[in-house]
């Protein structure tokens, strides 16, 4: 099929954070993209309601979002920042602290509500002449041919494109259509997330307390007494927490958090999220590639899911743009395998590190709690180790795509 008869060079299935970021990065460099998104366009007025999912955003993600003018357009009063992090264990006295000063950075990262970020991303790509977004539209079928893919949509339309990107989240339909399996591990945990107001100011510190059933995180938002919380616990306990009236929930939360920020005086928009780890067996085929949660989903305990998806998007965009500038086929296995080799290793390292943390913190069988407390105290007092862990987690090190590199780091 000749280039002329293509409807777009790239079709992105799923306009979440990963898919829309990729559209922005490619569209701003002149690549014709179509995004199909099952949900409606985000109502900008609705984003002024607090979103239960407050995301920790790394330096690397901030760089990527800045490169397409998304970061600059976020409302300042919706961006929280954390300059320190305090992690401790309910079952013992082990604790670890991280401070941005040790890394010569003004902060370790930022906190932004998912729908606020998503709303601004939609706005920015909506102005790009090379990006078309079809909302309320679902993928029905994909047929791959030698030099193009034919994609059928639920509105009856059929599109011919060079490359299909699966960015349709953890339950990716496009991944299934490409017959790529996914290894799934059910954590038997559910996260309860919401925004709360506390009696004491958070002082721009992100805090995480490991409880017997899972971690409880308080992420500092712009208002000095407002935090996004993520409480990972057993599915049964999560159902109980979701059903409580506000006063009883606040009481349960302040007790679980050991009154670290005093009383919880307000909480709103509680939502539950089932937690599972998933990893696609492969990230690509000729003419097809996976990014974001469609390729991998991780436990929210380290706040990395969206950040890994943005790194996928920036890495893929870099390789596609390089291939195009050299006159190569952007949908070839050669280009897509280079992306897979790059990102699969990086994502796996982060996933395994998180799994290690999770295992160590949740294991209550003797002597793990005692060793855990000793290890935490050792790590806390051994600055070189702390710096290595932290620089990686906040996106200052690792095999980063060019767009994610912090020129100040
Ligand atoms: C409680 C909680 C807290 C979290 N905290 C953090 C954090 O602090 N930091 C962080 O980095 N990450 C965090 N995450 C993870 C983060 O939210 C996800 O990793 C991220 O949103 C995934 O983005 P995505 O674009 O890959 O997928 P998704 O957000 O799932 O987007 C996929 C999109 O595809 C669309 N879609 C699906 N199927 C189709 C189809 N067939 N046709 C068309 N469209 C389709 C969907 O409507 C959706 O918009 C958290 C997650 C949870 C649950």
């Amino acid at each position: 099929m000749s280039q002329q008869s293509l409807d777009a060079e790239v079709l992105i299935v799923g306009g979440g954070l990963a898919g829309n970021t990729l559209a922005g990065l490619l569209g701003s460099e002149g690549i014709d993209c179509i995004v199909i998104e099952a949900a409606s366009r985000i109502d900008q007025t609705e984003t002024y309601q607090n979103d239960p999912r407050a995301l920790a955003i790394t330096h690397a993600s901030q760089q990527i979002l800045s490169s397409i003018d998304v970061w600059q357009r976020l409302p300042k009063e919706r961006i929280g920042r954390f300059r320190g992090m305090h992690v401790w264990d309910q079952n013992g006295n082990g604790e670890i602290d991280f401070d941005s000063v040790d890394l010569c950075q003004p902060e370790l990262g930022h906190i932004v509500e998912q729908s606020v970020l998503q709303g601004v991303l939609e706005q920015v790509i909506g102005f790009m002449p090379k990006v078309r977004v079809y909302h309320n539209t679902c993928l029905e079928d994909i047929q791959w041919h030698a030099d193009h893919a034919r994609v059928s949509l639920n509105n009856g339309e059929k599109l011919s494109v060079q490359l299909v990107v699966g960015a349709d989240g953890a339950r990716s339909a496009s991944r299934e259509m490409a017959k790529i399996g996914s290894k799934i591990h059910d954590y038997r945990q559910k996260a309860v997330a919401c925004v709360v107001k506390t009696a004491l100011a958070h002082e721009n510190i992100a805090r995480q307390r490991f409880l017997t059933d899972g971690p409880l995180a308080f992420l500092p938002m712009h208002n000095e007494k407002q935090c996004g919380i993520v409480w990972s616990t057993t599915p049964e306990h999560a159902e109980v927490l979701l059903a409580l009236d506000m006063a009883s929930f606040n009481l349960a939360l302040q007790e679980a958090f050991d009154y670290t920020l005093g009383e919880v005086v307000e909480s709103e928009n509680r939502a539950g999220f089932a937690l599972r780890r998933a990893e696609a067996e492969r990230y690509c085929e000729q003419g097809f590639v996976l990014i974001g949660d469609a390729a991998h989903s991780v436990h929210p305990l380290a706040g990395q899911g969206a950040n890994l998806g943005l790194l996928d998007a920036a890495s893929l965009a870099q390789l596609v743009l390089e291939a195009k500038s050299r006159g190569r086929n952007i949908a070839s296995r050669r280009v897509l395998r280079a992306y897979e080799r790059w990102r699969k290793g990086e994502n796996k390292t982060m996933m395994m590190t998180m799994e290690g943390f999770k295992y160590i913190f949740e294991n209550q069988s003797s002597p793990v709690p005692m060793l855990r407390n000793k290890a935490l105290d050792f790590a806390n007092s051994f600055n070189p180790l702390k710096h290595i862990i932290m620089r990686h987690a906040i996106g200052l090190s690792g095999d980063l795509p060019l767009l994610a590199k912090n020129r100040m780091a």
Side-chain angles (χ1 to χ4, degrees):
M1 173 169 287
S2 72
Q3 196 81 349
Q4 262 60 30
S5 52
L6 290 176
D7 294 291
E9 290 166 282
V10 180
L11 181 125
I12 301 168
V13 186
L17 295 180
N20 280 348
T21 301
L22 179 67
L25 296 172
L26 294 178
S28 61
E29 293 295 329
I31 297 223
D32 236 332
C33 302
I34 295 176
V35 180
I36 57 164
E37 167 52 47
S40 318
R41 205 180 147 82
I42 289 193
D43 178 350
Q44 290 297 314
T45 53
E46 257 180 37
T47 62
Y48 286 85
Q49 308 271 323
N50 285 323
D51 187 317
R53 287 157 311 167
L55 303 179
I57 296 294
T58 62
H59 288 266
S61 293
Q62 184 186 348
Q63 295 291 322
I64 295 167
L65 294 167
S66 297
S67 74
I68 46 171
D69 219 19
V70 168
W71 190 260
Q72 297 84 331
R73 287 169 189 259
L74 287 171
K76 299 286 168 283
E77 69 282 6
R78 303 304 284 261
I79 308 181
R81 55 184 279 276
F82 56 106
R83 58 178 179 78
M85 193 184 281
H86 179 59
V87 181
W88 75 108
D89 181 10
Q90 177 189 25
N91 301 299
N93 48 14
E95 57 186 352
I96 187 161
D97 287 289
F98 300 95
D99 193 327
S100 62
V101 173
D102 296 340
L103 301 179
C104 305
Q105 295 292 322
E107 62 266 312
L108 293 176
H110 291 90
I111 307 295
V112 186
E113 292 145 85
Q114 179 142 347
S115 60
V116 173
L117 184 51
Q118 181 70 15
V120 175
L121 250 173
E122 282 186 6
Q123 230 177 33
V124 167
I125 64 171
F127 285 119
M128 291 184 180
K130 286 286 185 181
V131 180
R132 282 165 283 166
V133 186
Y134 299 178
H135 280 283
N136 305 309
T137 306
C138 271
L139 174 71
E140 291 253 297
D141 186 40
I142 314 174
Q143 295 294 325
W144 280 274
H145 301 276
D147 59 353
H148 72 286
R150 189 108 172 111
V151 179
S152 309
L153 309 181
N154 65 341
N155 60 10
E157 211 174 326
K158 289 190 193 309
L159 300 170
S160 293
V161 297
Q162 213 176 336
L163 173 64
V164 178
V165 180
D168 43 351
R171 295 176 194 278
S172 168
S174 63
R175 185 183 63 216
E176 278 179 25
M177 286 172 198
K179 301 202 169 32
I180 297 179
S182 180
K183 277 184 257 158
I184 294 171
H185 170 74
D186 189 342
Y187 287 118
R188 293 279 307 136
Q189 274 184 349
K190 195 166 179 171
V192 176
C194 67
V195 172
V196 302
K197 276 212 173 112
T198 54
L200 303 178
H202 50 58
E203 296 177 325
N204 298 105
I205 307 289
R207 296 175 172 85
Q208 184 143 245
R209 184 177 195 219
F210 277 84
L211 308 172
T212 308
D213 291 329
L216 168 59
F218 273 57
L219 306 173
M221 298 179 73
H222 188 266
N223 180 310
E224 61 172 12
K225 293 190 176 173
Q226 200 169 42
C227 288
I229 69 118
V230 184
W231 189 347
S232 305
T233 184
T234 61
E236 298 75 22
H237 185 215
E239 290 312 323
V240 172
L241 292 174
L242 287 167
L244 289 177
D245 60 64
M246 202 222 277
S248 313
F249 176 77
N250 295 353
L251 205 62
L253 183 60
Q254 66 200 29
E255 277 175 13
F257 207 52
D258 203 20
Y259 293 86
T260 307
L261 292 176
E263 285 180 12
V264 173
V265 292
E266 231 177 85
S267 56
E268 53 181 279
N269 297 345
R270 250 171 283 158
F273 302 88
L275 301 180
R276 22 184 246 166
R277 177 183 73 227
E279 196 189 2
E281 282 161 8
R282 299 184 300 287
Y283 281 13
C284 66
E285 290 292 337
Q286 168 88 21
F288 180 71
V289 64
L290 291 166
I291 62 169
D293 274 21
H296 45 75
S297 33
V298 296
H299 197 285
L301 78 91
Q304 288 295 339
N307 291 304
L308 296 180
L310 296 194
L311 285 171
D312 290 348
S315 309
L316 180 61
Q318 183 177 319
L319 294 170
V320 163
L321 291 167
E322 267 170 28
K324 175 133 182 171
S325 71
R326 290 182 182 161
R328 294 200 180 125
N329 176 2
I330 61 167
S332 70
R333 262 191 86 77
R334 179 176 164 175
V335 172
L336 303 180
R337 277 279 295 139
Y339 159 79
E340 178 181 61
R341 281 194 300 275
W342 186 0
R343 290 306 304 158
K344 210 164 195 258
E346 287 285 306
N347 289 334
K348 189 129 198 151
T349 306
M350 185 59 83
M351 284 167 98
M352 288 301 109
T353 312
M354 293 314 117
E355 286 301 302
F357 268 115
K358 194 172 168 321
Y359 174 80
I360 291 169
F361 275 104
E362 289 180 2
N363 196 323
Q364 299 307 330
S365 46
S366 178
V368 177
M370 193 228 348
L371 293 176
R372 166 169 71 221
N373 285 301
K374 284 203 183 311
L376 271 180
D377 285 342
F378 170 73
N380 202 28
S381 58
F382 188 50
N383 277 339
L385 177 64
K386 264 199 338 188
H387 291 179
I388 291 170
I389 298 174
M390 210 54 216
R391 283 183 68 78
H392 203 80
I394 69 173
L396 290 177
S397 66
D399 192 0
L400 296 171
L402 291 174
L403 280 178
K405 287 196 173 146
N406 185 343
R407 279 149 206 88
M408 307 295 287

